[in-house]
């Protein structure tokens, strides 16, 4: 009998995919199709949850089939991330207009990412204290115990390392291995390697301009091919979001979420406040936050459902350049750099909240100015090298808690609400990236305000 139900679920899933396809054939706008996929996924997933629960064989097998679309789409995006990161950074150096301001652009991008991470950490601290969250109140069940056992393996890689040693881990010793994503710090290692290639290009350009010109044309050709692959994958976004949201709605543990409701609410209050900070920064730069929200929303929606900043990178760069008026060179800096530096949600708010929650357990006053200032600084520095994939917040939290000599067990105690909070964290990470690109482009005078204020969103 279970087989019959599974077949019915797959058939309904397929019909809903067909409905999204017909919307595309009818030339419904990309953003509307994205939100249609989001809405269909929530409704369909919640109905499955009501009928089968979260642990039945029917729902497990059905989700396995749905993952062909959802997880398959994320894998396709991840497939192009490393090539895109590498060629984007190198390409930024080969564009003459950008190389004139390369130092200023790099400083602004990194500075803005770290600055917003510091603000996000402060907001996370304030939200935790405001809601009176205490890690001592959390209890460990079977799932939490299993999660903490897994975390012990990760602790080995970060515990006992000083901040200089952690920074040293980011330097590539085998860039070809890092291109495969072999280490948690592989993305920033690829960024560093690409930056060396770019600087070398500038040196060759001064001494052997003909060879440099050939290299620049080669890089531009490869960039065009990679971006074409990105475009092909991005066209699948509405279907991917539908499948991912169906899985989230069908498999979420709503009882556990209810038990940890205060922490979830406090987390989203902090995330929303930091998003408001992004909008205020745009307003300070004399840009309409409304235009930003309308243009960025499809990208933020995908980040929310996929829980992968790296997977969102292609859509991130496309939105910056085609919809927000950011120059290609700056978008190609802000996008890749934001995967490894200054993730406002995963590396800013979340580690800060956990540190404040467990501080009383070791006799530290979390309201102490010295503790708060030290924590913000540690969060900012530790944000270097955080992987832009699901689990990056866990890695960031382990680093911060280890450096601050705080117990790391709290990370595992929140496993039941981790996916729900990670959705908001990832969306905030990507918003921070796009905001940084817009502000940097605005400051250096490479911003197209006509594109920013245009109502239409460019199709993928």
């Amino acid at each position: 009998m279970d087989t019959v139900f599974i077949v019915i679920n797959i058939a309904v899933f397929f019909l809903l995919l067909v409905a999204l396809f017909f919307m595309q054939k009818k030339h419904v706008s990309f953003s509307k199709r994205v939100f249609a996929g989001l809405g269909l996924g929530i409704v369909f997933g919640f109905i499955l949850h009501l009928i089968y629960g979260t642990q039945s064989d029917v729902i497990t097998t059905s989700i396995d089939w749905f993952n062909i679309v959802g997880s398959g789409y994320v894998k396709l995006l991840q497939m192009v991330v490393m090539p895109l990161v590498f060629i984007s950074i190198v390409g930024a150096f080969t564009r003459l207009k950008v190389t004139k301001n390369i130092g200023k652009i790099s400083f602004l991008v990194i500075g803005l990412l770290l600055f917003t991470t510091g603000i996000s950490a402060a907001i996370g601290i304030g939200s935790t204290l405001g809601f009176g969250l205490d890690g001592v109140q959390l209890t460990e069940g079977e799932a939490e115990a299993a999660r903490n056992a897994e975390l012990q393996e990760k602790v080995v890689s970060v515990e006992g390392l000083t901040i200089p040693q952690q920074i040293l881990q980011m330097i590539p010793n085998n860039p070809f291995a890092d291109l495969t994503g072999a280490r948690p710090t592989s993305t920033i290692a690829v960024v560093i390697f690409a930056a060396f290639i770019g600087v070398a290009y500038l040196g060759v350009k001064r001494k052997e301009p003909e060879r440099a010109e050939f290299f620049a044309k080669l890089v531009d050709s490869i960039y065009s091919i990679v971006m074409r692959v990105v475009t092909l994958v991005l066209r699948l976004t509405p279907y991917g979001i539908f499948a991912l949201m169906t899985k989230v709605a069908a498999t979420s543990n709503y009882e556990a979420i209810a038990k940890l409701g205060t922490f979830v609410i406090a987390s989203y209050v902090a995330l929303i406040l930091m998003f408001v900070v992004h909008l205020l920064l745009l307003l300070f730069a004399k840009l309409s936050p409304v235009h930003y929200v309308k243009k960025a929303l499809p990208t933020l929606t995908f980040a929310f459902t996929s829980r992968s900043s790296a997977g969102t990178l292609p859509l991130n760069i496309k939105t910056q350049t085609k919809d927000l008026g950011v120059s290609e060179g700056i978008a190609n800096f802000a996008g890749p750099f934001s995967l490894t530096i200054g993730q406002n949600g995963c590396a800013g708010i979340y580690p800060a909240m956990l540190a404040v929650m467990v501080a009383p357990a070791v006799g530290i006053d979390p309201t102490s100015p010295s503790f708060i200032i030290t924590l913000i600084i540690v969060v900012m520095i530790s944000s270097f090298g955080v992987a832009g994939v699901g689990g990056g917040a866990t890695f960031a939290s382990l680093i911060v808690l280890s450096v601050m000599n705080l117990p790391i067990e709290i990370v595992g105690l929140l496993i039941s609400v981790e996916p729900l909070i990670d959705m908001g964290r990832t969306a905030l990470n990507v918003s921070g990236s796009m905001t940084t690109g817009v502000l940097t482009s605005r400051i250096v005078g490479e911003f197209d305000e006509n594109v920013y204020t245009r109502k239409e969103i460019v199709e993928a």
Side-chain angles (χ1 to χ4, degrees):
M1 194 64 180
D2 283 356
T3 303
V4 175
F5 290 132
I6 292 169
V7 171
I8 292 173
N9 293 340
I10 295 172
V12 174
F13 180 79
F14 178 76
L15 289 174
L16 292 173
L17 287 176
V18 171
L20 289 172
F21 177 74
F22 275 116
M23 290 180 68
Q24 181 178 341
K25 284 296 183 181
K26 293 291 184 180
H27 302 291
V28 176
S29 70
F30 179 76
S31 58
K32 289 180 180 178
R33 285 185 281 121
V34 167
F35 289 118
L38 177 68
L40 287 172
I42 292 173
V43 174
F44 182 48
F46 191 67
I47 291 173
L48 291 177
H49 177 84
L50 290 177
I51 296 173
Y52 305 107
T54 59
Q55 303 298 325
S56 69
D57 291 338
V58 173
I59 202 68
T60 301
T61 305
S62 298
I63 294 298
D64 279 345
W65 284 96
F66 301 166
N67 280 341
I68 295 176
V69 178
S71 298
Y73 174 63
V74 174
K75 284 181 177 292
L76 287 175
L77 284 170
Q78 291 172 339
M79 171 187 73
V80 298
V81 166
M82 284 305 188
L84 181 59
V85 168
F86 177 76
I87 204 66
S88 295
I89 296 294
V90 176
F93 280 89
T94 61
R95 289 172 174 81
L96 180 62
K97 185 179 179 182
V98 176
T99 57
K100 291 179 179 178
N101 295 315
I102 202 75
K104 185 177 181 180
I105 290 170
S106 302
F107 175 80
L108 283 171
V109 167
I110 295 174
L112 283 169
L113 288 171
L114 290 178
F115 172 68
T116 53
T117 300
I119 294 177
S120 67
I123 290 176
I125 293 169
S127 181
T128 307
L129 294 174
F131 279 87
L133 299 179
D134 188 349
V136 177
Q137 298 173 355
L138 299 177
T139 57
E140 181 178 82
E142 291 184 8
E144 289 78 11
R147 176 60 171 167
N148 276 323
E150 292 179 14
L151 290 176
Q152 293 304 320
E153 298 179 7
K154 292 187 177 182
V155 172
V156 174
S157 64
V158 296
E159 196 172 45
L161 292 179
T162 63
I163 290 179
Q165 289 172 333
Q166 292 169 18
I167 294 174
L168 190 61
Q169 285 190 325
M170 303 172 196
I171 300 175
N173 63 328
N174 185 347
F176 300 102
D178 284 320
L179 282 167
T180 68
R183 302 184 298 154
T185 55
S186 282
T187 306
I188 195 169
V190 170
V191 169
I192 293 171
F193 177 60
F196 269 95
I197 297 292
V199 172
Y201 160 81
L202 297 180
V204 173
K205 185 179 180 181
R206 287 193 296 269
K207 297 180 179 179
E208 301 177 82
E210 291 183 1
R211 293 181 184 274
E213 183 180 357
F214 173 77
F215 179 76
K217 290 180 178 178
L218 178 63
V219 169
D220 285 343
S221 297
I222 296 174
Y223 181 79
S224 297
I225 296 297
V226 171
M227 289 307 296
R228 182 58 185 170
V229 174
V230 167
T231 299
L232 294 174
V233 175
L234 289 182
R235 288 177 178 172
L236 303 173
T237 300
Y239 312 103
I241 284 180
F242 164 63
L244 290 166
M245 206 64 227
T246 297
K247 177 181 178 180
V248 170
T251 59
S252 291
N253 187 337
Y254 294 102
E255 290 183 5
I257 291 172
K259 289 180 181 178
L260 292 171
T262 305
F263 178 74
V264 174
I265 293 171
S267 297
Y268 271 91
V269 166
L271 293 169
I272 292 170
L273 286 175
M274 190 59 211
F275 183 67
V276 172
V277 170
H278 292 167
L279 301 183
L280 290 175
L281 289 173
L282 293 172
L283 192 62
F284 183 74
K286 298 181 180 179
L287 295 172
S288 168
V290 176
H291 286 301
Y292 171 78
V293 172
K294 287 181 178 179
K295 299 289 185 70
L297 209 50
T299 302
L300 298 180
T301 300
F302 173 72
F304 185 84
T305 53
S306 69
R307 297 168 51 203
S308 172
S309 300
T312 312
L313 179 62
L315 197 56
N316 178 346
I317 292 178
K318 173 262 175 189
T319 301
Q320 287 192 54
T321 56
K322 304 297 184 183
D323 300 316
L324 296 176
V326 179
S327 68
E328 281 194 357
I330 292 174
N332 290 335
F333 262 94
F337 268 88
S338 69
L339 297 183
T340 57
I341 299 172
Q343 292 195 343
N344 292 179
C346 289
I349 287 175
Y350 194 66
M353 291 184 70
L354 299 192
V356 172
M357 287 174 67
V358 299
V362 292
I364 297 175
D365 179 9
T367 63
S368 165
S370 60
F371 172 79
I372 292 174
I373 293 172
T374 302
L375 178 57
I376 292 174
I377 293 173
V378 169
V379 166
M380 291 173 66
I381 296 175
S382 299
S383 72
F384 280 84
V386 175
V389 295
T394 298
F395 187 69
S397 299
L398 291 176
I399 293 175
V400 171
L401 294 174
S402 297
V403 171
M404 298 287 290
N405 293 316
L406 297 171
I408 59 96
E409 287 76 15
I410 188 173
V411 180
L413 297 180
L414 298 168
I415 181 176
S416 56
V417 294
E418 176 74 12
L420 179 62
I421 298 172
D422 197 35
M423 296 165 77
R425 290 193 310 240
T426 307
L428 186 67
N429 293 343
V430 175
S431 178
S433 171
M434 292 191 291
T435 303
T436 295
V438 171
L439 293 174
T440 301
S441 194
R442 180 78 160 175
I443 292 170
V444 301
E446 295 185 18
F447 179 71
D448 191 335
E449 194 162 353
N450 291 328
V451 173
Y452 186 87
T453 56
R454 185 182 60 208
K455 293 183 178 180
E456 297 81 13
I457 295 177
V458 176
E459 296 290 324

